[in-house]
Every structure is written in structure tokens, then in C-alpha cells.
Amino acid sequence: PIEVEKAQGAYLHTTDGRKILDAVASWWVNPHGHSNPYIAKKVYEQMLELEHVIFAGFTHEPAVLLGERLLAATQTGHSRVFYADNGSTAVEVALKMALQYYHNQGEKKVKFIAFNDAFHGDTFGAMAVSGEGVFTHAFADMLISIDRIPVPTPGKEQESLNALQSILEKGETAAFIFEPLIQGAAGMIMYEADVLDKMIALCKANNVLTIADEVMTGFGRTGKMFATHYLENQPDIACYSKCLTGGALPMSATTASDEIFQAFWADDKMKTLMHGHSFTANPVGCAAALASLDLTESEETHQQWVMISEKHKAFIEEMKVHPRIEKARTLGTIMAIEIKTEEQTGYLNNLRDKLYDYFLERDILLRPLGNIVYILPPYCISEEDLDRTYEVIKSALRDIQ
């Protein structure tokens, strides 16, 4: 492993004197770059006031303010927030909410629908609703049964809709979970908002809940504040993490509609959502998230979204006609190119290691998903650094076979 001693903005500084451009925002969690002074100041101020308090029978201002701001920003119509500590647990909470929502009403709905090749996390429930593959194979016999449907990529929309309708008609489904518009770990696979709108509408018509996993797509990654802002129909439950605290601290939030909440609101304690975390609603994490929201909602950040998006679009047009590129796609600040390969495509494609090493040797951190190279940069990245990243990708296409 490369030892990093400090980081600032879009750059990592190593103990051996290297300066590496972090073009993937360290697994997509640092939207404002590293060691942001505004977030650091807010975290420091909060540490001097209240570092943590049990969030059972107690509350505190940072948690309340964050809940109010997050619910207002997401525009889903949700009214409730459950705090946890990472994307996997945000999804785990969402799945338990969905199952118990029906259980509390005396209905037996115990199955989920998910997309092929989805990735929703590493805990057991999150693994179950992820695609079958490298991340889950060792645990396949221990995971709950899931109905999977094709991703509605361009040209496969009707196939996906038909598969969804067929499963919904069985009446066994508690919820349909999806990564809205972009499947991250699958290779930045993209599909259109209008087909997802139709899928959510089908679920609503069949009394099936919908869960939007916005862990990766949230907080501006798709060019809008949230990917669900492209939709007319909103999910019943949504999950947020990664960019939530600006990369400063581990934290997540699962939000839900009041209808979901009311199924748990009762004198009968057996209807309680028996899920809790020691660090739920950690005040320092909440302070970091509030500071990150300040930055995310700023005009300067929105201008950077536009800049990154426009430059990605220009690069994609160039890549579409490149002889070594199978597919090229972009949405907002996310760009991906799929390199032609004779090997089976996927996460374990050997081209990945060659590319990763090639980029690092040139002091750029890119983590290809098999034969798919993507850029998902911090919003503070400069035009010059983006151009340098594009040029290194082009040289890799020339030099690596």
C-alpha cells in the first residue's frame, strides 16, 4: 500500500514525496476535496461542544438541523430520518423497514426485486440485493432469495418492465431496490429516468415499496443534487452516505415517508424497528454533514458541476469514435469508457491491474472496474487536472494492450 501522510484539495501527498491526483474522490466520498478547511472548522467547533451522546431518549441540535436540511434537499416528500454509519447499513435499515412495514400490518411480503449486477453493500441484506458475482459468491448459500430483473439500459427497457410486471403479479414482493440512473460498481452502467419512473409507478400500483440507493449518486454526482430529482415518481425509502459528510467522517441516513413511519408508531413495542447503532446521529458527523451541505449547495460548487459535466461530454464524444472503445457514457460529474477486450468483461478482467498501475505511475489515482475506466472527481478539481487525466487515459489506450 502507498502511505499517504497528508492530502489537500484534489491531491494526496505520500511519505516518499509523491503528489497523486485523486480522480475518484477516494471511493467517491470526498466531493469537496481533502482536508477542506470549512468542514474541519465546523468539526472542531462541534468537538468542543458535544462529541457524542446516546440517541435513545436524547437528541441534539446538529441531528435535528441535518434531518431538516436533508429532507428539504432531497425533495422526496419524506418526513423521517434514520441515522447510521455507512452505505451498507443505510441499505440494511431500508430493507428491514420495508419487511417490517408489511409485517406490522399483518401482511406477509418477504421478497425483494433488484437489478442484475447491482451493488448495494457488504452486509448480508445488502449483499443479497446485490448482483450475484465476485462480491457475494462465498456467501451465496446464506443469502435471502431475491428476484432479479435486467437493467433497463437503452434498448432493453421493455424487457425490464415486462420482467418487473411478471414478478409483481405474484404478490410476494415487499420492495424494489435500485441505484437510480447509474449502477456504480457494475461499471457505471447508465439508464434513463423515464423507464425508472414507469417502474416506480408499477410498484405503487401493486402495493410494493420502492427504495432508492443514492449512496453513490447523491449530492450532485449526476448533475442534479440527487438522481431522484430526474424523476416524477419518488421512492418510499432512500439511502444516503459517501458524500454526506464531505468524506470527513463515516455516516449515513435512511429517509422514509410518513406512511412508512406510521406502520411502526404504536403502543405495541413489538412494532418497533429494533435497529440501532452506538454512533447513531453522532454530533460531530452531523456537523460535518451540515458543513458539506453548505458547500454542496453553494453557487461555486454548482458551477464546478457544470464545468466537469461539459468537459466529460467533450471527452466522451472523442472516445466514442476511438477504435479501442466499446462504449462511452457520462452523466453529470461521472464519466466511463468501456475498453474492448478479448477476456470476459467484469470486475476481475486483467486489464484492470495494468491500467491501475499505469495511471499510478503517472501520479493519477483511477480505479478501473475491470475493463471500464471511470472518472468521478472531487468537485474542486481544476480544468487542467481534468485535461491531464483525459490525456493519461488516451496514452494508456495507446500503450496498454
Side-chain angles (χ1 to χ4, degrees):
I2 297 169
E3 186 176 352
V4 177
E5 63 178 359
K6 65 179 181 179
Q8 191 72 50
Y11 279 91
L12 308 173
H13 298 265
T14 68
T15 52
D16 59 358
R18 294 173 66 187
K19 183 180 175 184
I20 300 173
L21 177 63
D22 187 353
V24 294
S26 283
W27 254 337
W28 325 335
V29 304
N30 288 87
H32 314 298
H34 297 277
S35 306
N36 183 277
Y38 181 73
I39 296 176
K41 178 175 180 290
K42 295 298 184 180
V43 166
Y44 169 74
E45 291 172 351
Q46 183 59 48
M47 285 289 290
L48 296 178
E49 293 293 327
L50 174 66
E51 85 298 343
H52 189 64
V53 65
I54 184 173
F55 208 61
F58 290 85
T59 188
H60 53 80
E61 186 178 52
V64 175
L65 291 177
L66 178 59
E68 291 173 345
R69 287 189 62 184
L70 186 60
L71 292 173
T74 56
Q75 299 176 17
T76 53
H78 294 177
S79 61
R80 306 289 171 171
V81 180
F82 190 102
Y83 293 115
D85 53 7
N86 60 66
S88 297
T89 50
V91 168
E92 206 79 15
V93 170
L95 299 176
K96 290 174 74 173
M97 279 183 184
L99 290 173
Q100 194 172 343
Y101 170 80
Y102 290 105
H103 175 82
N104 284 0
Q105 299 175 87
E107 293 186 63
K108 188 175 181 180
K109 289 194 169 190
V110 295
K111 299 198 75 172
F112 292 99
I113 300 173
F115 284 136
N116 293 332
D117 302 320
F119 181 79
H120 294 290
D122 295 317
T123 51
F124 265 76
M127 280 197 298
V129 292
S130 298
E132 298 173 313
V134 63
F135 300 113
T136 62
H137 74 97
F139 314 100
D141 294 340
M142 293 171 271
L143 301 177
I144 58 176
S145 176
I146 302 295
D147 289 317
R148 294 186 176 86
I149 61 175
V151 184
T153 50
K156 294 186 178 179
E157 293 92 344
Q158 196 57 51
E159 178 187 354
S160 187
L161 284 166
N162 291 345
L164 176 63
Q165 180 65 61
S166 177
I167 296 167
L168 291 174
E169 288 173 355
K170 297 177 183 178
E172 302 171 339
T173 305
F176 165 44
I177 185 169
F178 53 86
E179 298 161 88
L181 307 189
I182 302 179
Q183 288 189 298
M188 302 300 164
I189 304 301
M190 301 181 186
Y191 61 99
E192 296 298 325
D194 59 347
V195 68
L196 183 55
D197 257 324
K198 292 175 183 177
M199 298 180 120
I200 295 174
L202 276 174
C203 289
K204 290 183 184 296
N206 286 272
N207 189 32
V208 168
L209 300 178
T210 52
I211 303 170
D213 178 352
E214 286 250 37
V215 169
M216 186 274 284
T217 56
F219 304 99
R221 285 300 181 196
T222 63
K224 292 192 177 186
M225 189 66 168
F226 296 96
T228 49
H229 288 184
Y230 288 92
L231 303 173
E232 293 293 328
N233 295 310
Q234 293 300 309
D236 300 291
I237 302 171
C239 309
Y240 308 94
S241 190
K242 289 199 182 288
C243 290
L244 177 61
T245 67
L249 289 161
M251 194 173 196
S252 69
T254 303
T255 67
S257 66
D258 192 61
E259 180 183 355
I260 301 293
F261 176 79
Q262 291 303 325
F264 296 83
W265 185 248
D267 292 329
D268 181 357
K269 291 183 179 179
M270 293 302 291
K271 290 191 175 182
T272 303
L273 179 66
M274 296 292 185
H275 191 104
H277 290 268
S278 300
F279 286 92
T280 285
N282 173 256
V284 185
C286 291
L290 286 164
S292 183
L293 270 175
D294 289 343
L295 297 173
T296 303
E297 293 173 344
S298 70
E299 182 59 32
E300 181 181 1
T301 295
H302 290 187
Q303 289 174 359
Q304 285 292 104
W305 294 352
V306 174
M307 181 275 287
I308 296 168
S309 176
E310 291 303 313
K311 291 189 74 67
H312 279 352
K313 288 176 184 176
F315 182 63
I316 284 296
E317 288 305 309
E318 187 177 352
M319 289 295 98
K320 282 180 178 177
V321 296
H322 194 287
R324 291 204 62 194
I325 298 302
E326 186 74 35
K327 295 176 183 176
R329 48 190 173 266
T330 186
L331 180 63
T333 67
I334 303 169
M335 185 284 302
I337 56 171
E338 193 169 330
I339 301 173
K340 293 177 181 177
T341 176
E342 293 181 1
E343 287 184 54
Q344 182 177 353
T345 58
Y347 195 79
L348 298 181
N349 187 288
N350 288 324
L351 191 57
R352 181 266 177 204
D353 292 340
K354 296 178 184 177
L355 290 164
Y356 176 74
D357 291 342
Y358 185 93
F359 298 139
L360 264 187
E361 287 166 5
R362 287 150 184 81
D363 291 329
I364 295 179
L365 174 57
L366 290 170
R367 289 179 58 87
L369 297 161
N371 62 310
I372 296 171
V373 177
Y374 72 91
I375 306 175
L376 208 160
Y379 302 144
C380 63
I381 196 168
S382 67
E383 292 191 53
E384 293 75 19
D385 281 338
L386 269 178
D387 287 335
R388 182 163 75 89
T389 305
Y390 299 146
E391 288 304 315
V392 170
I393 290 173
K394 286 193 285 187
S395 69
L397 293 174
R398 182 188 64 238
D399 297 342
I400 296 177
Q401 300 301 317

